[in-house]
Amino acid sequence: MAKSARLLLVHAHPDDETINNGATMAKYVAEGAFVTLVTCTRGEEGEVLLPELSNLASAIDDGLGKHRELELAEAMRILGVSDFRFLGAPNISWRDSGMMETESNNRPDVFWQANLDLAAGELVKIIREVKPEVMVTYDEIGGYGHPDHIQAHRVAMRAAELAIDESFGEGEIWEISKIYWNTIPISLIEEGISAMKEVGSDFFGAEKAEDLPFAKPDGLVTTVINGEAFVEKKMAAMKAHATQIALDGPFFALSNKLGLKVWGQEFYTLVKGIKAGTLDANGRETDLFAGLR
């Protein structure tokens, strides 16, 4: 891959990037692409899964955000991503909004309450600086309805529009050629649920794929990235997010059961640009940059 290939990912909290795109990021870094990660909040309202760090919770010392910055830095080191930023830094900071319809949603400093064009304007600066050919973010419900994921989707899509508006902001305009939303096909979720039941566990409490909002009809999947060679890096990066991902939880149990298949493939829906390049047996792209090189 030519070193000019540039990929931008927009995520809500530290750990979202590794769960959704860890193998993709590691793969493209290894191929010489320039990968930029923008994280919109520091995940201050996340649950602390390590008892010895329980004091970091927002209701106690409120120190989780700073700790998750360190977790993110370690995960990015493992994946090989050198350009990772928090939206608005160093001048503006938005706080984790917490789950939908919780009291924290109403704080004036949370991302859910952010002015859309202000937040998008901060991302426009990065887009015009980095000039990504491809952007990855969430769908319109943020995958599963978390307010920060929804807002990250809104900000990313608005920023893509504003980045080509000559009357907006400073810097040379830039148009992103292809935009993708993260997705997971129902067929893979069904396979995961079956595998977890075999070992006496569950898949996030779901009995069937339709119980999970992030499970999408297979027909909506336009693109699949085979990152099987980078699964070890992805799993190590997930372990770096230790306050958020339990080593004995469903992520790693599923990995042990299905291995490369479940974590080595990452799925996307193309929402801007033309599907191109070599397609797999299901008619899906196998390269986010297909048609651009």
Side-chain angles (χ1 to χ4, degrees):
M1 175 175 291
K3 287 188 177 296
S4 61
R6 299 174 302 279
L7 170 64
L8 170 66
L9 302 101
V10 181
H11 277 288
H13 317 102
D15 82 356
D16 293 328
E17 79 297 322
T18 300
I19 294 168
N20 286 281
N21 314 116
T24 298
M25 296 167 77
K27 170 184 166 66
Y28 282 116
V29 167
E31 292 179 1
F34 187 74
V35 176
T36 297
L37 168 68
V38 175
T39 309
C40 298
T41 82
R42 289 158 178 80
E44 295 91 342
E45 294 294 331
E47 182 182 0
V48 182
L49 299 180
L50 297 177
E52 64 271 26
L53 296 177
S54 60
N55 64 293
L56 296 177
S58 60
I60 306 176
D61 294 340
D62 197 19
L64 184 57
K66 286 293 185 182
H67 187 84
R68 292 184 74 176
E69 288 185 32
L70 300 176
E71 291 182 337
L72 178 63
E74 175 61 10
M76 293 304 95
R77 183 194 67 78
I78 293 167
L79 297 178
V81 176
S82 58
D83 185 18
F84 54 97
R85 320 174 185 200
F86 285 97
L87 185 67
N91 300 316
I92 304 175
S93 177
W94 285 282
R95 184 182 172 88
D96 181 356
S97 307
M99 297 301 290
M100 189 67 82
E101 297 183 353
T102 58
E103 185 177 349
S104 57
N105 291 174
N106 299 317
R107 287 182 54 146
D109 58 343
V110 299
F111 192 49
W112 185 238
Q113 298 294 338
N115 177 278
L116 179 59
D117 279 3
L118 174 63
E122 292 299 313
L123 187 56
V124 167
K125 295 175 185 177
I126 298 173
I127 291 172
R128 289 178 176 174
E129 172 199 341
V130 175
K131 297 178 170 54
E133 299 161 285
V134 175
M135 181 173 73
V136 171
T137 190
Y138 311 104
D139 63 15
E140 66 276 13
I141 65 165
Y144 70 103
H146 191 294
D148 288 334
H149 287 237
I150 296 171
Q151 188 77 314
H153 160 84
R154 293 173 178 170
V155 167
M157 299 306 291
R158 179 62 172 152
E161 296 175 353
L162 293 174
I164 60 175
D165 185 346
E166 294 181 347
S167 67
F168 184 85
E170 300 178 353
E172 182 181 1
I173 63 170
W174 181 259
E175 183 170 6
I176 300 171
S177 299
K178 299 180 81 174
I179 299 177
Y180 292 91
W181 294 346
N182 289 300
T183 192
I184 305 178
I186 284 179
S187 61
L188 185 67
I189 298 295
E190 290 174 340
E191 190 170 354
I193 291 173
S194 296
M196 294 295 284
K197 286 180 178 179
E198 288 178 13
V199 297
S201 184
D202 64 23
F203 193 87
F204 304 101
E207 286 294 323
K208 56 185 185 300
E210 288 78 8
D211 293 338
L212 298 167
F214 50 77
K216 304 295 183 182
D218 285 44
L220 294 181
V221 178
T222 64
T223 309
V224 57
I225 298 301
N226 184 342
E228 291 183 1
F230 302 94
V231 169
E232 287 189 12
K233 284 191 173 184
K234 175 170 180 171
M235 302 311 289
M238 288 173 68
K239 290 176 181 177
H241 291 290
T243 62
Q244 303 303 302
I245 303 175
L247 296 183
D248 59 351
F251 286 117
F252 294 102
L254 194 59
S255 175
N256 293 336
K257 183 65 180 176
L258 296 179
L260 297 180
K261 183 174 184 179
V262 67
W263 292 121
Q265 297 181 39
E266 293 173 345
F267 301 88
Y268 303 89
T269 298
L270 178 67
V271 296
K272 180 186 178 184
I274 299 173
K275 188 164 68 171
T278 302
L279 305 182
D280 69 6
N282 295 309
R284 298 167 178 170
E285 290 180 309
T286 57
D287 179 9
L288 300 181
F289 293 91
L292 301 183
R293 295 177 280 110

